[in-house]
Amino acid sequence: MSGSFRKRVAAIVTEYRHNSHAEVIVGRLLGGLGYRPRVEVVSLYTDQVPANDMSRDEAARRGIPICATIRDAIRADHCSEPIDGVVIIGEHGDYPVNEKEQMMYPRRRFLEETLAALDELDLAVPIFSDKHLACDYDDAVWMYEQMKARGIPFMGGSSIPHCDYVPNFEPQRLHSLREAIVISSGGLEGYGIHAMEVLQSLTERRKGGETGVSAIRLLRGTEAEVWAAMDRGEWPEDLMLQALRAIPGLPEAHPRELEPTPALFAIEYADGTKGWIVQFQRLVEQWSFAFRHDGERVTAALCDSDLDRPFAHFERLTRMIEAFIINGREPFPSERTLLTTGMICAAMDSLFVRKRVETPWLHMVYE
């Protein structure tokens, strides 16, 4: 597609600088990082402009206006035709952190102002919003319901669930999944949501579909608390070790010898399925998983994400975003994004109150 035949997109971002999500997604849609876009970014709103901002130079080079408000970016009055889609990147930037250690990105505000402008134009175009919906689950539910009420196709989440599995396996194995563990790294919320989405992209494919989550516990690794829980049989050591073996280049030693204080997310599904995330700070840089199925069989694989530029897993995500905007079809259930948002919010609640949190509001059913 080229010229006037390409779908027109408004981009709404927190900040646009080197290696930000705005650069590796919107930057690709602008033709950067060796990417050939199939849609056309026609307007750009940046909430913050850091010292290393790239947006002004990129916009000037592409002849795209930097808009003073989200409303202006959505209206795109300089275009002869209305926009066909919206890409929201509410990730990175200088924002406050709340008492639960959650970064308070303005994702609800971004969507609220986007919907208000679309309403003015009587438009209902596809919207992509990066990562989870909000740090507050009530906000997330509002966002989800507002888009559903308008008939707006929605795609959210991150790049990691869409990576290739190494080794690949037959999806039918997931139909009998009853236990799964995901290996993760980094910050509890910001990177934990990637692992939540990997976990949910696996568990939702079990026979009968998704029935929701009944309880969540997040243990921060202090004084070997996570390893003590493993020794008590509260989470499966064998699944963790098989998931770690899927990551190349790791030391041979047991991870408890290499990292004494990981974090552990424990997820109890309403149908009895169990999920865990073991989140390390230094041991790993990628995501992997292992799950038990067909009785005692175990399948393990790496989520093959890149560690260096140009981050090919973001190219795959960008291709998915483009296809979504062009055809208006959600590539996976939007309920996944709502559920994983609720899961990470409940996990941070659990950390704050230092106990297991029951989550009847997450008894969410979808295919």
Side-chain angles (χ1 to χ4, degrees):
M1 294 183 182
S2 62
S4 61
F5 294 101
R6 292 194 293 172
K7 298 281 189 178
R8 293 164 293 275
V9 173
I12 314 299
V13 308
T14 43
E15 68 172 19
Y16 188 141
R17 45 108 177 137
H18 182 74
N19 278 356
S20 66
H21 281 207
E23 191 222 352
V24 297
I25 297 174
V26 178
R28 280 184 160 90
L29 297 179
L30 291 171
L33 296 168
Y35 191 85
R36 298 185 65 180
R38 296 194 295 154
V39 301
E40 180 182 5
V41 177
V42 297
S43 59
L44 178 63
Y45 168 82
T46 62
D47 202 50
Q48 297 183 351
V49 186
N52 58 345
D53 173 75
M54 297 173 61
S55 66
R56 273 56 187 166
D57 287 344
E58 283 297 303
R61 185 178 302 114
R62 310 290 177 180
I64 299 167
I66 298 282
C67 298
T69 67
I70 291 174
R71 178 178 182 270
D72 290 344
I74 299 300
R75 291 189 64 88
D77 289 334
H78 59 287
C79 294
S80 59
E81 299 289 338
I83 62 169
D84 301 294
V86 182
V87 172
I88 297 175
I89 312 291
E91 180 76 3
H92 301 300
D94 184 14
Y95 295 94
V97 176
N98 67 16
E99 61 184 359
K100 299 176 185 178
E101 303 181 27
Q102 295 168 291
M103 185 70 77
M104 298 175 69
Y105 291 118
R107 292 172 185 158
R108 171 171 172 159
R109 173 171 66 83
F110 279 14
L111 182 68
E112 200 163 354
E113 294 182 25
T114 294
L115 293 177
L118 290 174
D119 288 348
E120 290 179 10
L121 299 169
D122 195 26
L123 286 180
V125 300
I127 295 176
F128 168 79
S129 183
D130 190 37
K131 295 186 73 174
H132 53 304
L133 284 164
C135 65
D136 181 277
Y137 186 61
D138 288 340
D139 284 347
V141 171
W142 182 91
M143 295 163 74
Y144 171 84
E145 291 179 345
Q146 291 294 315
M147 287 185 285
K148 284 293 185 185
R150 290 167 171 80
I152 289 176
F154 173 68
M155 174 184 170
S158 73
S159 58
I160 305 303
H162 312 300
C163 294
D164 288 332
Y165 299 153
V166 180
N168 205 352
F169 57 88
E170 301 88 351
Q172 291 83 357
R173 296 183 190 181
L174 294 166
H175 296 175
S176 59
L177 180 152
R178 280 296 173 261
E179 290 187 332
I181 198 163
V182 175
I183 301 299
S184 184
S185 66
L188 288 177
E189 185 200 26
Y191 279 73
I193 186 59
H194 292 301
M196 288 284 189
E197 292 190 336
V198 170
L199 178 67
Q200 191 56 34
S201 71
L202 301 170
T203 58
E204 71 185 13
R205 297 168 74 177
R206 63 197 187 276
K207 188 176 180 180
E210 187 52 66
T211 58
V213 171
S214 59
I216 291 181
R217 177 75 164 106
L218 172 53
L219 292 174
R220 191 201 302 272
T222 56
E223 299 178 357
E225 184 178 15
V226 170
W227 299 122
M230 182 192 74
D231 292 336
R232 292 192 298 269
E234 295 175 12
W235 61 276
E237 179 182 20
D238 67 318
L239 285 186
M240 174 198 65
L241 292 176
Q242 294 209 47
L244 283 169
R245 291 189 193 108
I247 302 176
L250 294 186
E252 292 293 331
H254 194 285
R256 74 190 305 164
E257 299 174 20
L258 303 169
E259 189 157 335
T261 58
L264 177 74
F265 298 76
I267 298 95
E268 302 171 37
Y269 286 88
D271 66 354
T273 301
K274 299 289 183 67
W276 297 271
I277 296 164
V278 184
Q279 189 143 329
F280 297 100
Q281 294 298 310
R282 300 175 300 277
L283 181 62
V284 300
E285 294 183 85
Q286 291 177 289
W287 289 263
S288 68
F289 58 84
F291 62 92
R292 208 180 311 277
H293 60 97
D294 296 311
E296 291 301 312
R297 291 184 64 193
V298 173
T299 292
L302 170 75
C303 298
D304 193 18
S305 59
D306 290 327
L307 299 176
D308 300 304
R309 287 173 71 87
F311 307 116
H313 54 291
F314 277 105
E315 178 166 335
R316 173 166 294 183
L317 178 64
T318 306
R319 291 284 180 213
M320 292 178 67
I321 295 167
E322 285 187 307
F324 165 64
I325 289 170
I326 290 168
N327 62 41
R329 293 192 295 271
E330 297 177 353
F332 53 87
S334 56
E335 288 79 9
R336 180 202 293 176
T337 304
L338 179 62
L339 180 55
T340 53
T341 297
M343 289 163 66
I344 194 67
C345 289
M348 302 311 291
D349 287 345
S350 169
L351 180 68
F352 184 67
V353 300
R354 299 185 61 80
K355 65 180 182 180
R356 173 178 173 272
V357 172
E358 294 189 358
T359 57
W361 55 89
L362 296 182
H363 285 191
M364 191 180 303
V365 177
Y366 69 89
E367 290 288 338

